[in-house]
Amino acid sequence: MSKILMLTEGKDPDKKLIEHIINEFQIKGEVIWAKIGTIYAFYKDIKEKYDENMDIIRYIKYKYSDKISKEFKASEVSYVYLFFDYDLHSKLNEEYENIEKIYERINEISEINNFFEDETGNGKLYLSFPMIEAYHKPIGCNYIYKEDIFEEKLVNFKEFKKKIKSEIGNRGIESIKSQYKEIIKFYIHNSEKILGMKFKEAEKNKVLKFQNELLKNRNKVKIYPSIPIFLNEYFEVKKLQEKLKI
């Protein structure tokens, strides 16, 4: 069986959530997990050491040997996926109105996205906007879409996690897991309202471009997690709809 290397920021709830989706949608392959910190720090480290002859998987195994969930041979890994937060606020030092700084961060995340473009090469990056807690948002709003509650200003990114937690109350990860089909369906049905594009068009590069432009022009992004984008690209819409029984 081929192996899949999954890279996450390092928070256990993120891993448990993505792991649940991988299992429920029967993503083929034995999954190996590695927690590696923010995508920005990880890419900076890679960039300092990278050359065209570099094997990313071997480097990850060496660099993060204490964080890899199990031993494996780099040659056994067929696919690499990265699930991270957009999280630009962490690099802006609270200069949320400084357009030059915002442009720098946007250029940086665009470069990172382009580097992690191929799951059979360097890996394929999926970003959540503004962070993975966007996945919980449909539960917090009782699956009711309103434009103003599905957008978040840059200045509020750092409070987004607390905001979502207050919205979902005591409904923990098990409750969220049990509603995973409804959450994915919500983003499928409301993709055009949130992103201005039909769900089948919501590919990672298009979504990032849309969010970057929105951030530059209006200092905010639309709330949208990485998981539906991943499922859209992995299955394509028709097969995904069959699995969800839509």
Side-chain angles (χ1 to χ4, degrees):
M1 179 184 292
S2 64
K3 290 181 170 56
I4 303 171
L5 181 59
M6 289 279 185
L7 308 181
T8 62
E9 187 166 325
K11 294 171 278 188
D12 281 334
D14 292 8
K15 175 181 176 292
K16 290 177 181 177
L17 177 57
I18 297 166
E19 190 172 41
H20 177 72
I21 294 297
I22 295 300
N23 292 335
E24 291 295 341
F25 284 92
Q26 299 177 321
I27 305 301
K28 295 179 180 179
E30 179 185 342
V31 178
I32 301 161
W33 296 89
K35 304 173 186 178
I36 59 175
T38 71
I39 190 61
Y40 300 96
F42 176 62
Y43 180 68
K44 181 181 178 182
D45 183 67
I46 290 289
K47 193 175 180 181
E48 289 173 352
K49 300 174 177 63
Y50 181 79
D51 64 60
E52 61 183 11
N53 298 314
M54 182 179 183
D55 186 318
I56 292 288
I57 298 171
R58 293 183 189 280
Y59 177 75
I60 291 169
K61 183 180 179 185
Y62 166 76
K63 173 75 174 180
Y64 300 96
S65 59
D66 60 329
K67 298 180 181 180
I68 298 287
S69 57
K70 64 176 291 185
E71 288 297 320
F72 68 97
K73 295 179 180 179
S75 60
E76 296 175 325
V77 174
S78 300
Y79 305 99
V80 181
Y81 295 104
L82 304 90
F83 288 87
F84 286 86
D85 298 341
Y86 186 60
D87 209 23
L88 268 71
H89 68 284
S90 65
K91 301 293 295 294
L92 285 169
N93 298 318
E94 299 188 359
E95 297 182 59
Y96 302 127
E97 301 297 329
N98 187 329
I99 192 64
E100 291 183 1
K101 292 286 187 181
I102 292 172
Y103 267 66
E104 286 178 13
R105 299 288 74 81
I106 286 174
N107 290 338
E108 182 179 12
I109 194 59
S110 297
E111 179 181 323
I112 293 170
N113 182 66
N114 290 336
F115 183 83
F116 295 111
E117 181 62 25
D118 181 3
E119 65 268 41
T120 62
N122 293 333
K124 197 165 190 179
L125 172 65
Y126 290 96
L127 294 166
S128 289
F129 302 90
M131 53 195 66
I132 191 68
E133 283 75 16
Y135 182 81
H136 306 168
K137 183 66 177 180
I139 295 177
C141 69
N142 295 316
Y143 298 98
I144 298 172
Y145 172 80
K146 291 183 180 178
E147 182 177 5
D148 60 333
I149 64 173
F150 272 84
E151 56 187 31
E152 198 68 27
K153 292 183 178 179
L154 175 60
V155 68
N156 295 326
F157 279 12
K158 64 181 179 180
E159 301 297 328
F160 185 72
K161 187 182 300 185
K162 292 180 181 178
K163 178 180 177 181
I164 294 296
K165 188 174 181 179
S166 69
E167 288 181 3
I168 64 174
N170 295 323
R171 289 174 283 190
I173 188 69
E174 294 306 318
S175 174
I176 291 167
K177 285 180 179 180
S178 70
Q179 298 184 57
Y180 75 96
K181 286 187 177 180
E182 296 306 313
I183 294 170
I184 301 300
K185 286 178 185 178
F186 177 91
Y187 279 108
I188 289 175
H189 293 149
N190 291 285
S191 179
E192 193 164 6
K193 294 177 182 176
I194 299 171
L195 301 175
M197 62 185 82
K198 294 179 180 179
F199 182 70
K200 66 180 180 180
E201 300 168 342
E203 301 168 349
K204 78 184 200 81
N205 294 336
K206 290 181 180 179
V207 175
L208 178 61
K209 182 179 179 180
F210 170 86
Q211 299 282 23
N212 282 344
E213 289 299 317
L214 189 60
L215 188 69
K216 285 191 292 187
N217 296 327
R218 299 172 64 187
N219 212 252
K220 62 185 178 182
V221 298
K222 295 293 185 175
I223 297 170
Y224 208 94
S226 57
I227 293 171
I229 303 170
F230 165 72
L231 293 173
N232 179 26
E233 293 192 353
Y234 189 88
F235 290 112
E236 297 185 351
V237 176
K238 187 174 181 180
K239 189 172 181 180
L240 179 57
Q241 288 175 332
E242 289 173 0
K243 285 184 171 291
L244 293 168
K245 294 182 170 57
I246 295 177

